[in-house]
Amino acid sequence: MRRDAWAGAQQRARPETSAGAQQPDGALLGPLLAGSAQPHQVRRAAQGLGLPERGRYAVVVLGTAATVPDGDGDGDGDGDGDGARWCWCGEVGVVLLGRGGLAGPVGSLGEAGAGPGGVSPVVGGLAELGLARRLAGAALLTCGPGTHEIVTLDERLPTALVASRPELSARLLAEVLGPLLVLEPAERALLVGTLEVWLECGGSVGRAAVRLRCHRNTVFNRLRRLERLTSRSLSHPRELVETVLALDALRLSAARG
């Protein structure tokens, strides 16, 4: 179902306001998502949308026009059978979670190919949707261009920290990985690729060597060269954190072109 069709179903299903007329979801959600809603606006939105003021809510921010999970908009489910309810305001979706928590809505969006999209942590009511909107936007920044991934902020927290501050991200990249950036592209890709595989293997040189189909000493030598270039030790926790965050900055920089 397209997002506009979903919104239409929600519009038809929700109760009328006291004035006997229904307001579009966007008009009711806008102040909440901007974080500027006054208490009376929260109450009006709850009444107009047929949603409780207090409840387990999350916000989804999509990066492109996309589909949303099939559902009838009547509050009985969002297509995953757990009772979640959706409302949309442009590229931003608000979901009142059902029995399955975030897993159901996130899975439904992913199956629908609705990404890229970022999902906020769960908040406790409509008055907190402004915060949730900002956090979902931070999660979206970690998605690669052209992907259809739906990611939660909690699974991308370090990368979101880097992505949310582009000026600091650029400085981190230059300070930590700057010496790699002047290498020939093939050599840089070899060292960065080895580091990525080593990290994915939990810091195991042996497992990384199997993945890379090379001798473990080759992995050691590449990592030692990287340490010399960056002046950071991969065995020193603080310096490893700097290197990993700089690696995230490099990925984001490459994705942005």
Side-chain angles (χ1 to χ4, degrees), residues 26 61 66 87 116 155 163 166 211 247:
V61 178
C87 294
E155 67 184 284
R211 285 270 302 273
L247 187 61

Side-chain angles (χ1 to χ4, degrees), residues 83-104:
R85 295 183 56 191
W86 287 90
C87 294
W88 288 90
C89 179
E91 305 297 324
V92 182
V94 174
V95 57
L96 173 63
L97 299 175
R99 297 178 297 276
L102 271 177

Side-chain angles (χ1 to χ4, degrees), residues 6 22 36 65 70 75 84 92 125-126 128 146 153 159 162 188-189 193 201 224 230 233 242 254 257:
W6 181 272
Q22 294 176 338
S36 59
D70 288 335
V92 182
L126 294 176
E128 299 174 56
L153 178 67
T159 308
V162 174
R188 178 172 65 248
C201 292
R224 296 296 83 80
T230 62
S233 170
E242 289 180 346

Side-chain angles (χ1 to χ4, degrees), residues 187-221:
E187 184 178 7
R188 178 172 65 248
L190 182 66
L191 294 178
V192 169
T194 300
L195 175 62
E196 289 176 331
V197 171
W198 178 76
L199 290 169
E200 290 169 3
C201 292
S204 169
V205 170
R207 289 168 54 198
V210 172
R211 285 270 302 273
L212 293 168
R213 298 183 179 181
C214 65
H215 195 278
R216 58 185 290 117
N217 286 346
T218 302
V219 177
F220 267 123
N221 291 337

Side-chain angles (χ1 to χ4, degrees), residues 123-234:
V123 296
L126 294 176
E128 299 174 56
L129 292 186
L131 171 62
R133 162 68 180 83
R134 294 192 297 275
L135 295 178
L140 175 62
L141 291 175
T142 72
C143 296
T147 68
H148 294 288
E149 58 184 347
I150 302 293
V151 301
T152 64
L153 178 67
D154 288 348
E155 67 184 284
R156 294 284 182 88
L157 275 173
T159 308
L161 284 171
V162 174
S164 298
R165 297 296 300 273
E167 69 284 0
L168 292 181
S169 174
R171 180 61 186 167
L172 178 67
L173 176 58
E175 177 66 20
V176 178
L177 297 183
L180 269 70
L181 302 181
V182 301
L183 297 177
E184 290 296 324
E187 184 178 7
R188 178 172 65 248
L190 182 66
L191 294 178
V192 169
T194 300
L195 175 62
E196 289 176 331
V197 171
W198 178 76
L199 290 169
E200 290 169 3
C201 292
S204 169
V205 170
R207 289 168 54 198
V210 172
R211 285 270 302 273
L212 293 168
R213 298 183 179 181
C214 65
H215 195 278
R216 58 185 290 117
N217 286 346
T218 302
V219 177
F220 267 123
N221 291 337
R222 292 175 186 173
L223 295 177
R224 296 296 83 80
R225 174 160 167 70
L226 190 144
E227 287 181 319
R228 289 193 299 271
L229 286 168
T230 62
S231 299
R232 263 91 178 165
S233 170
L234 297 177

